[in-house]
């Protein structure tokens, strides 16, 4: 249920309504806008009739509405009438030149770039340099890798996280890295600025629930055979445990077409924008599996209206320890950034300024 408070409601009036909701056994998620406060009452509805009538009769309640989609907290309706209808996620971190803040969502377009896996200190520093010099604001890189074969490189684990943190310090890029197991949450949280949940874990509900104990934003990748509704239900799991800073990442789905690794589903971008207030990032690297397709699909992704891209880059893709076939080298990444900027501007978004101009 969405309860819109009267614009004159005081803090006490709001607390009063919150306690009525809690007495019925629901959880309250308040959203304090600049001109009004909206309360979302969510929870198991079994055996709890009467709340609607009780709330509707409160003097300081303007209106009470049922939330129809099953993903209550992340649905677009949740922000109806608010002055800021889209979720904006501020990522703040420190590097050698001070503090930096990068915002994801709204009219900002962010670039996340880096290798599939952190391999060596030289490799991650070189990737960070390429990313930074060409206008990315996030460094990606896996330290815990979900590999199809148990014999493939599994990641450097904490050592890899430390290298990412060193590269952040040197180059002023926020770190995005994958969490595969709730047991690693504490260590990943210590080094990451944004925690990635990979496609294979999109429906690992215990892992999703563990994210309630971090305040770090979560990049939730779409499961390789997941519907949009299933994906939003996974985002709802994370929001329901108190972490509403979720970024959705379209990374391609499995189809019958073997010419590429996945089929990048760009229909998802405008579809999601109608359904949710969360920001959307596209991953054309995993979405195609082919470096030669990444440029075209990056331009198409930007044109579809997403809030940014996550791309795999490598100083020497043929030598990469994972996903070399879809990784861009320095020259290709530079060319891509030049071609991408006018498309981003054409759809009314602004490429997030590079590190030299956006430190605070
Ligand atoms: C990755 O980002 O390297 C990765 C493993 O992605 P996905 O979970 O989308 O396959
Ligand atoms: Mn990869």
């Amino acid at each position: 249920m969405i309860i819109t408070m009267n614009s004159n409601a005081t803090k006490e009036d709001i607390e009063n309504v919150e306690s009525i909701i809690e007495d019925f056994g629901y959880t309250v998620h308040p959203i304090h806008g600049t001109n009004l406060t909206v309360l979302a009452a969510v929870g198991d509805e079994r055996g709890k009739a009467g709340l609607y009538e009780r709330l509707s009769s409160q003097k300081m309640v303007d209106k009470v509405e049922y939330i129809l989609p099953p993903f209550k907290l992340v649905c677009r309706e949740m922000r109806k009438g608010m002055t800021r209808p889209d979720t904006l996620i501020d990522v703040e971190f420190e590097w050698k030149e001070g503090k930096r803040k990068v915002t994801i969502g709204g009219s900002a377009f962010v670039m996340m770039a880096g290798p599939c896996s952190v391999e060596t200190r030289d490799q991650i520093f070189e990737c960070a340099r390429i990313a930074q010099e060409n206008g990315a604001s996030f460094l990606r890189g896996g330290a815990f890798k979900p590999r199809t074969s148990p014999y493939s490189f599994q990641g450097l684990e904490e050592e890899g996280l430390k290298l990412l943190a060193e590269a952040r310090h040197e180059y002023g890029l926020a770190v995005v890295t994958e969490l595969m197991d709730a047991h690693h949450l504490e260590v990943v949280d210590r080094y990451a600025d944004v925690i990635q949940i990979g496609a294979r874990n999109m429906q690992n509900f215990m892992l999703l629930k563990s994210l309630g104990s971090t305040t770090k934003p979560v990049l939730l990748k779409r499961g390789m055979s997941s519907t949009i509704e299933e994906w939003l239900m996974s985002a709802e799991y994370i929001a329901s445990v108190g972490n509403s800073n979720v970024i959705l990442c379209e990374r391609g789905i499995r189809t019958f077409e073997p010419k590429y690794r996945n089929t990048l589903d760009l229909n998802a971008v405008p579809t999601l924008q109608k359904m949710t207030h969360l920001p959307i990032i596209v991953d054309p690297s995993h979405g195609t599996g082919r470096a030669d397709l990444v440029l075209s699909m990056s331009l198409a992704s930007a044109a579809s209206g997403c809030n940014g891209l996550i791309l795999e880059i490598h100083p020497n893709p043929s030598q990469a320890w994972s996903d070399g076939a879809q990784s861009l080298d320095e020259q290709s990444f530079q060319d891509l950034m030049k071609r991408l900027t006018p498309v981003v501007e054409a759809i009314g978004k602004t490429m997030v300024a590079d590190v030299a101009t956006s430190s605070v």
Side-chain angles (χ1 to χ4, degrees), residues 271-287:
T271 305
L272 285 167
Q273 282 168 338
K274 292 207 172 88
M275 299 170 82
T276 179
H277 52 79
L278 298 176
I280 307 154
I281 296 288
V282 178
D283 175 350
S285 305
H286 293 87

Side-chain angles (χ1 to χ4, degrees), residues 116 140 145-146 178 196 198-200 221 251 286 312:
C116 179
R140 62 145 290 146
K145 292 302 304 175
E178 180 160 353
Q196 174 174 321
R200 292 156 191 80
K221 294 192 112 183
R251 46 77 73 207
H286 293 87
E312 287 187 341

Side-chain angles (χ1 to χ4, degrees), residues 115-117 140 142 145-146 178 196-201 221-222 224 249 251 261-262 283 286 310 312 322-323 326:
C116 179
S117 310
R140 62 145 290 146
K145 292 302 304 175
E178 180 160 353
Q196 174 174 321
I197 297 298
R200 292 156 191 80
N201 273 317
K221 294 192 112 183
R222 181 182 187 172
M224 55 184 93
C249 177
R251 46 77 73 207
R261 183 176 180 184
N262 291 295
D283 175 350
H286 293 87
I310 184 165
E312 287 187 341
S322 59
D323 285 353
Q326 65 195 37

Side-chain angles (χ1 to χ4, degrees), residues 1 20-27 41-55 66:
M1 244 172 253
I20 296 174
I21 297 170
E22 279 161 359
D23 287 347
F24 272 78
Y26 288 87
T27 308
V42 293
D44 186 342
E45 290 170 12
R46 280 173 301 180
K48 287 176 191 155
L51 180 61
Y52 182 92
E53 292 70 22
R54 182 77 192 282
L55 291 172
Y66 283 105

Side-chain angles (χ1 to χ4, degrees), residues 161-175:
L161 297 172
K162 284 185 182 157
L163 294 174
L164 285 164
E166 283 181 39
R168 165 178 54 213
H169 178 74
E170 192 57 33
Y171 291 96
L173 302 170
V175 166

Side-chain angles (χ1 to χ4, degrees), residues 233-310:
M233 289 311 293
S234 291
E236 183 78 10
Y237 259 94
I238 304 170
S240 74
V241 288
N243 189 342
S244 50
N245 287 331
V246 180
I247 304 147
L248 300 167
C249 177
E250 163 59 41
R251 46 77 73 207
I253 48 176
R254 278 256 165 110
T255 69
F256 53 80
E257 181 52 66
K259 282 269 181 253
Y260 19 82
R261 183 176 180 184
N262 291 295
T263 298
L264 188 65
D265 178 17
L266 291 184
N267 294 348
V269 177
T271 305
L272 285 167
Q273 282 168 338
K274 292 207 172 88
M275 299 170 82
T276 179
H277 52 79
L278 298 176
I280 307 154
I281 296 288
V282 178
D283 175 350
S285 305
H286 293 87
T288 61
R290 286 173 43 177
D292 64 322
L293 300 181
V294 169
L295 169 63
S296 307
M297 297 317 288
S298 294
L299 302 180
S301 301
S304 76
C306 67
N307 303 102
L309 300 181
I310 184 165

